Amino acid sequence: MIEVDEMEQIQLEQHADAFLKREFGMPLDIPIRISKRMKSRLGAFRIKYIRGKPQDKEMEIVMSHTFINNNPSETILDVLYHECVHYALFAKNQPYRDSDATFIRTLDRLGISRTRTHMYRGESYLYECKKCRYQVSRNMKGYEKRYICRRCRGRFRYAGAVERI
């Protein structure tokens, strides 16, 4: 039996493969992974260089599970295609980073959104300062263990989960 995440992953791979063949004349030769831990990014093209073998690289496109569950398919595909452009330009030895002019021109030509165009939607965590009652919403658990209030330097406490729409 195929799980829902696995089905979504197969559909994303089919969309990405069709997009890359149509726009760049190349197939999708890397995996697409859906990450339940990814909260600060919506998607990412990752390159992992293998130590001792500079020519060998492991590449993948990672998409946020929370992002996929809380956004319409047009937005999901826009982010997926954005990551595919990173991959295609990297594979063709062209500038592929967000700030590169070639990358920006390619996005504009294809009508794909740039980085940080879409806002995070989904479950978020609310923290409150114990001293001054300042509240802050973050996408990560454990914020109260690592950070202090910028207003009064007090400690935070977890106040509950909220939905960002």
Side-chain angles (χ1 to χ4, degrees):
M1 185 169 171
I2 297 177
E3 290 184 30
V4 174
D5 290 345
E6 200 173 323
M7 210 162 59
E8 289 173 348
Q9 183 177 344
I10 292 168
Q11 289 176 339
L12 290 175
E13 287 174 353
Q14 290 171 347
H15 283 289
D17 190 52
F19 172 78
L20 288 168
K21 285 178 180 172
R22 182 177 67 243
E23 300 297 339
F24 295 96
M26 62 184 284
L28 178 70
D29 290 331
I30 62 172
I32 294 178
R33 182 170 57 91
I34 298 173
S35 172
K36 291 187 178 182
R37 294 184 65 189
M38 184 182 277
K39 302 282 185 180
S40 62
R41 295 180 184 173
L42 309 179
F45 167 62
R46 293 192 43 224
I47 308 164
K48 181 180 178 184
Y49 293 94
I50 300 170
R51 180 175 276 164
K53 299 178 183 178
Q55 68 276 13
D56 290 341
K57 305 172 224 15
E58 291 180 1
M59 298 179 282
E60 67 179 352
I61 292 175
V62 186
M63 298 290 289
S64 167
H65 182 267
T66 307
F67 168 69
I68 290 171
N69 286 342
N70 293 294
N71 284 280
S73 58
E74 302 85 39
T75 306
I76 296 166
L77 289 177
D78 188 49
V79 172
L80 175 66
Y81 294 160
H82 176 101
E83 302 310 329
C84 287
V85 171
H86 279 295
Y87 165 63
L89 293 177
F90 178 82
K92 293 179 180 264
N93 291 323
Q94 294 181 2
Y96 66 94
R97 293 197 164 89
D98 283 322
S99 59
D100 293 332
T102 305
F103 179 76
I104 293 169
R105 278 195 304 271
T106 306
L107 290 180
D108 291 343
R109 177 177 58 85
L110 298 172
I112 299 171
S113 300
R114 295 184 188 177
T115 302
R116 292 180 185 77
T117 301
H118 304 289
M119 296 298 295
Y120 177 84
R121 289 172 57 181
E123 187 178 50
S124 190
Y125 307 99
L126 184 66
Y127 298 94
E128 183 178 69
C129 176
K130 293 178 182 178
K131 278 185 178 178
C132 70
R133 302 283 186 234
Y134 173 71
Q135 290 186 337
V136 62
S137 173
R138 293 290 180 255
N139 301 343
M140 61 188 259
K141 287 184 179 178
Y143 184 84
E144 76 279 8
K145 296 173 187 168
R146 290 178 251 180
Y147 298 96
I148 58 172
C149 180
R150 65 180 176 190
R151 290 182 174 179
C152 70
R153 306 190 55 77
R155 306 289 300 175
F156 283 105
R157 71 171 183 81
Y158 176 70
V162 293
E163 281 291 316
R164 279 197 182 169
I165 298 174

